[in-house]
């Protein structure tokens, strides 16, 4: 048994980052493989979702589910709306609601909190009681993408607007050592402008696909360059592998709506994260290298999980020293 003489309660703070959040799965796996089991878990946005699943003892289920996601299945999980946000989020949340089976936060296996932001005031809200699903849904409500959530008379949106990596929340839950996972460290330096993730189809075609009226193609979509033309065979990206370290490929083409939204969210997350971590540093900071992965790449779970594990392994000497495990 590994002793932890320096710290009685280890807290895990899982940061936001949309699809990059699948890296949390690999990071948690690597920590557990090293004998490090957090006593407290809290999260923002996708970190709140992964953290809730982990606190419920369902990480195996989540890894299996995300590993089977394809571009087509992700599209079918979108429920288009044009009031409060592009997506309602009901189809996705229903999947997790079935897994949590009405469980409240107090019934989870470890202390847990999710971070949301009050839309009217900008206040940071810590969700530590009530239903797990309701807390997660509020924390992931990216403005303009997912519709806000009404809770106790206030509209709540994504916690990343206020606290992208909730170190302060873990400390408030009495963690005396906080391991934080920041998903946004290098995303502005390693952005992927390429075509591995297809542009969303026109609204009519998207609605048909989401409603199940369009047949799923037998082959994956052809990767296109920014000018809309296919890659030459000798230059075409391998669709079976997604490199999260893809260097930027500049283009003079006007960004699409989703690209502009995604890149704007990335900029906001990076700036806020750096500011909060400077004032509220974690004891151990893990920063997966996810610069080539975009926020809507939910169907590329495998490389994200792998990088989450690798990020922890790179930091393991420092982690062991900090925890007195040597």
């Amino acid at each position: 048994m590994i002793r932890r003489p320096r710290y009685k309660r280890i807290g895990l703070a899982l940061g936001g980052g949309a699809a990059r959040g699948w890296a949390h799965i690999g990071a948690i796996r690597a920590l557990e493989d090293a004998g490090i089991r957090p006593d407290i878990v809290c999260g923002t946005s996708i970190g709140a979702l992964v953290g809730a699943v982990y606190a419920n003892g369902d990480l195996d289920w989540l890894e299996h589910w995300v590993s089977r996601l394809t571009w087509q299945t992700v599209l079918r999980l979108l429920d288009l709306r044009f009031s409060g946000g592009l997506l309602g989020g009901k189809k996705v949340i229903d999947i997790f609601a079935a897994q949590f089976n009405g469980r409240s936060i107090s019934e989870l296996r470890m202390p847990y909190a999710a971070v949301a932001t009050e839309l009217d005031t900008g206040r940071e809200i810590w969700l530590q009681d009530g239903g797990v699903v309701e807390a997660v849904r509020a924390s992931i409500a990216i403005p303009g993408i997912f519709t806000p959530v009404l809770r106790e008379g206030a509209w709540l949106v994504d916690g990343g607007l206020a606290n992208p990596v909730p170190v302060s929340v873990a400390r408030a839950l009495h963690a005396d050592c906080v391991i934080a996972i920041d998903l946004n460290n290098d995303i502005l330096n390693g952005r992927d402008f390429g075509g591995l993730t297809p542009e969303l189809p026109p609204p009519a075609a998207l609605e048909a696909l989401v409603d199940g009226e369009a047949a799923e193609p037998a082959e994956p979509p052809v990767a296109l360059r920014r000018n809309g033309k296919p890659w030459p065979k000798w230059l075409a990206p391998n669709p079976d592998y997604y490199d999260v370290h893809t260097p930027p490929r500049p283009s003079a083409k006007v960004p699409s709506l989703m690209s502009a939204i995604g890149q704007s969210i990335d900029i906001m997350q990076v700036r806020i994260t750096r500011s909060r971590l400077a004032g509220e540093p974690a004891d151990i900071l893990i920063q997966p290298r996810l610069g080539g992965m975009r926020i809507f790449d939910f169907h590329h779970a495998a490389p994200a999980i792998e990088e989450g594990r690798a990020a922890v392994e790179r930091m393991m000497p420092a982690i062991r020293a900090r925890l007195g495990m040597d």
Side-chain angles (χ1 to χ4, degrees):
M1 179 179 294
I2 296 174
R3 295 182 179 178
R4 299 191 303 206
R6 295 186 185 180
Y7 304 105
K8 294 181 179 179
R9 288 166 67 87
I10 293 179
L12 183 62
L14 303 178
R20 302 181 190 104
W22 301 150
H24 288 317
I25 299 172
I28 292 171
R29 295 288 195 203
L31 288 171
E32 289 198 331
D33 288 349
I36 302 167
R37 288 183 172 269
D39 304 290
I40 297 161
V41 62
C42 55
T44 293
S45 197
I46 191 69
L49 187 151
V50 176
V53 172
Y54 177 51
N56 200 44
D58 289 328
L59 200 62
D60 288 343
W61 167 81
L62 180 63
E63 183 170 3
H64 177 70
W65 183 72
V66 303
S67 297
R68 292 183 296 119
L69 289 176
T70 66
W71 174 70
Q72 290 82 12
T73 55
V74 170
L75 285 180
R76 289 196 174 96
L77 288 173
L78 306 181
D79 44 348
L80 292 175
R81 298 182 54 153
F82 298 96
S83 175
L86 291 175
L87 309 175
K90 186 178 185 301
K91 292 182 180 179
V92 175
I93 286 299
D94 282 350
I95 293 173
F96 290 92
Q99 193 69 23
F100 288 116
N101 194 28
R103 195 160 287 118
S104 66
I105 291 176
S106 62
E107 295 176 299
L108 295 175
R109 298 184 179 186
M110 63 181 74
Y112 166 84
V115 180
T117 304
E118 193 172 275
L119 187 59
D120 292 334
T121 66
R123 288 193 307 157
E124 180 179 337
I125 305 296
W126 298 355
L127 304 173
Q128 304 175 67
D129 52 33
V132 177
V133 172
E134 290 76 13
V136 169
R137 176 62 182 84
S139 188
I140 68 171
I142 303 173
I145 304 297
F146 288 106
T147 53
V149 173
L150 185 64
R151 178 186 168 101
E152 298 179 359
W155 288 104
L156 302 183
V157 293
D158 195 298
L161 290 173
N163 196 350
V165 185
V167 174
S168 58
V169 183
R171 295 205 190 280
L173 293 178
H174 308 296
D176 52 7
C177 178
V178 177
I179 301 173
I181 302 178
D182 167 24
L183 305 174
N184 301 312
N185 179 56
D186 69 339
I187 58 176
L188 298 184
N189 298 324
R191 180 175 303 285
D192 172 24
F193 286 100
L196 278 181
T197 301
E199 293 286 346
L200 290 177
L206 178 57
E207 290 175 0
L209 182 56
V210 171
D211 292 337
E213 297 173 4
E216 183 170 328
E219 299 294 333
V222 176
L224 301 179
R225 288 178 284 173
R226 294 294 291 182
N227 60 10
K229 298 179 180 179
W231 288 86
K233 288 185 179 180
W234 59 279
L235 273 180
N238 181 358
D240 296 324
Y241 176 75
Y242 185 80
D243 183 4
V244 296
H245 308 301
T246 304
R249 290 192 285 270
S251 171
K253 183 179 178 180
V254 176
S256 68
L257 171 63
M258 298 305 289
S259 293
I261 291 175
Q263 292 175 34
S264 297
I265 291 172
D266 285 346
I267 293 169
M268 176 191 69
Q269 290 287 282
V270 169
R271 302 304 182 198
I272 299 174
T273 298
R274 290 176 181 173
S275 177
R276 289 299 299 254
L277 288 177
E280 300 163 347
D283 297 285
I284 298 166
L285 181 61
I286 298 166
Q287 295 176 309
R289 299 167 183 169
L290 301 166
M293 190 168 185
R294 294 177 287 194
I295 68 170
F296 302 114
D297 287 340
F298 290 100
H299 54 302
H300 291 298
I305 294 172
E306 180 182 350
E307 175 54 23
R309 176 180 286 277
V312 171
E313 291 172 350
R314 288 193 296 269
M315 287 291 295
M316 192 52 66
I319 295 173
R320 289 183 175 278
R322 185 73 179 188
L323 297 180
M325 297 169 62
D326 294 330

